[in-house]
Amino acid sequence: MKTPFEALVRTHGATVLRVCRAVAGPDDAEDAWSEAFLAALRAYPELPDDANVEAWLVTIAHRKAIDQIRARRQAPLPTQELPEDSRAAPAVGGWQRDLWEDLATLPPKQRSAVVYHHVAGLPHREVAAILGGTPAAARRASADGIAALRRTYSGELR
Amino acid sequence: MSLTDLGLPDDDATLRRLSARLGQAAAEADLLDVAYRTIDSPLGTLLLAATPRGLVRVAFSIEATDEVLGELASRVSPRVLEDRPRLDPVARELGEYFEGRRRSFDVPVDLSLAAGFRREVVELLPRIAYGSTASYRQVAEMIGNPGATRAVGTACARNPVPLVLPCHRVVRADGATGAYRGGPEAKIALLALEKASGPAPAV
């Protein structure tokens, strides 16, 4: 028996939003969130009843967030002026821009491992199921990613 | 900060706004199999749910929301989301009904949650005029099965769209009000409302 989809949105909406922000950044996160839940709604009736719903949603969200980044890169720049180094931009509304930008510079596997484990809160076992490979490899990718972030991120990282 | 703090302080408001937008987008993409919303009424909060074909469920506040939505998910479709526009017409008509200004409903009804005999029973309920009542036995006779009094009672008790299909007008032969999905007090209040607003005007 399936849970009504609205319960998925209520239970996992915040996690999906965190994943979208971590991958796509704050400006594109909301569109990625909407695209992710719409895609999930479309596929939901065929999802096996014993599937890990959160891992499934996080995977879709991650994919949609990457689509948003790609779409933005292909879009023409609105002005001729080169954008200033965004690291110099001040935090807007409490948002620490440089952390997600540092995340974006990680190799894809490390970034995925960091986002799935530290942002979405999935155990390494689940991360490995999504990325392929062993739980130990997922743990290592996540640890390497965090180590790289510690080197580049200017703020304090717990 | 830690990575799990990658949220903004107004996350709750953001998520409410995104959820509302998702309901709209789902409806536009023909993915909203069951839309629901709640309305305030003199009988307490009512939950209304509709498929693209029509009103599929009216639930009273004494029914647990999770169970109502769970039944819709398992018996109609798991694609259930809150979305108001589809329910606006029925919300408006129910408002008029509770004000005594409406005596019958024009909204399409989807009886996916009532099959066979139970469906036959609830389909003929609108033939019991506003402000009047019929006994369970009379309804059984109307359906051509006078021995099915008890089954008529079950059908009324499980009517998926009470109020709009007026099972509250079916009472016991001894004059007692009888059971009701929204509780006996709700049934008494509805019969009193219809009595106070008078019988249907002659057409």
Side-chain angles (χ1 to χ4, degrees):
Chain A
M1 194 192 112
K2 275 226 160 61
T3 311
F5 195 79
E6 65 82 29
L8 270 62
V9 181
R10 246 186 312 123
T11 311
H12 304 293
T15 298
V16 167
L17 187 56
R18 276 203 290 272
V19 169
C20 292
R21 279 176 179 154
V23 178
D27 297 339
D28 293 320
E30 294 190 6
D31 285 344
W33 188 98
S34 299
E35 291 291 324
F37 270 111
L38 203 58
L41 179 65
R42 192 182 297 277
Y44 186 48
E46 281 75 48
L47 183 72
D49 282 356
D50 60 350
N52 180 328
V53 172
E54 184 167 77
W56 176 68
L57 286 171
V58 166
T59 310
I60 296 173
H62 191 223
R63 210 168 54 224
K64 291 297 178 187
I66 288 172
D67 287 350
Q68 289 293 328
I69 301 173
R70 287 200 185 119
R72 176 153 298 232
R73 277 191 193 137
Q74 282 160 10
L77 285 173
T79 63
Q80 297 97 323
E81 279 181 50
L82 286 172
E84 289 177 41
D85 182 5
S86 50
R87 281 184 196 219
V92 178
W95 175 257
Q96 302 287 322
R97 297 190 71 95
D98 46 355
L99 178 54
W100 71 260
E101 282 172 357
D102 287 344
L103 258 175
T105 65
L106 294 180
K109 192 151 190 171
Q110 284 183 16
R111 184 179 56 194
S112 302
V114 168
V115 169
Y116 293 165
H117 181 67
H118 290 279
V119 180
L122 297 179
H124 294 299
R125 182 171 32 82
E126 296 294 341
V127 178
I130 298 170
L131 295 179
T134 63
R139 180 190 297 273
R140 205 158 48 237
S142 171
D144 289 350
I146 291 290
L149 285 177
R150 281 190 205 285
R151 284 193 297 274
T152 56
Y153 175 55
S154 51
E156 190 191 344
L157 195 66
R158 283 185 276 120
Chain B
M1 76 181 276
S2 79
L3 285 166
T4 47
D5 295 335
L6 282 169
L8 291 170
D10 61 347
D11 262 1
D12 284 350
T14 304
L15 287 167
R16 271 198 302 278
R17 180 166 48 77
L18 288 175
S19 298
R21 207 166 81 180
L22 178 63
Q24 273 175 2
E28 283 163 18
D30 286 332
L31 291 173
L32 188 52
D33 296 346
V34 181
Y36 76 93
R37 67 171 285 189
T38 55
I39 60 166
D40 293 329
S41 85
L43 303 180
T45 305
L46 300 175
L47 185 148
L48 313 174
T51 68
R53 287 188 290 165
L55 183 68
V56 72
R57 186 76 162 87
V58 174
F60 295 96
S61 54
I62 58 169
E63 301 178 79
T65 302
D66 285 350
E67 281 175 29
V68 173
L69 296 180
E71 187 196 21
L72 288 164
S74 60
R75 292 188 55 193
V76 180
S77 165
R79 288 182 181 140
V80 180
L81 281 175
E82 186 167 1
D83 191 42
R84 300 172 74 90
R86 189 183 290 173
L87 282 315
D88 279 348
V90 65
R92 191 171 53 245
E93 291 197 6
L94 281 169
E96 292 164 0
Y97 171 78
F98 283 118
E99 288 167 11
R101 295 192 289 121
R102 172 170 287 278
R103 290 169 162 76
S104 65
F105 293 90
D106 299 329
V107 291
V109 169
D110 177 347
L111 285 178
S112 294
L113 293 177
F117 181 77
R118 281 171 43 202
R119 185 182 184 131
E120 274 184 69
V121 171
V122 296
E123 272 178 330
L124 66 73
L125 292 173
R127 282 166 52 189
I128 309 169
Y130 183 94
S132 66
T133 58
S135 69
Y136 292 104
R137 179 184 300 275
Q138 283 171 323
V139 173
E141 282 163 4
M142 281 162 76
I143 215 161
N145 194 346
T149 306
R150 189 178 284 270
V152 166
T154 306
C156 289
R158 294 189 189 161
N159 175 11
V161 279
L163 301 171
V164 172
L165 297 183
C167 57
H168 58 273
R169 292 178 201 149
V170 188
V171 297
R172 281 170 36 179
D174 63 6
T177 318
Y180 189 56
R181 200 163 196 171
E185 299 84 3
K187 191 171 186 175
I188 292 166
L190 289 170
L191 293 173
L193 165 80
E194 294 191 2
K195 203 162 202 168
S197 305
V203 181

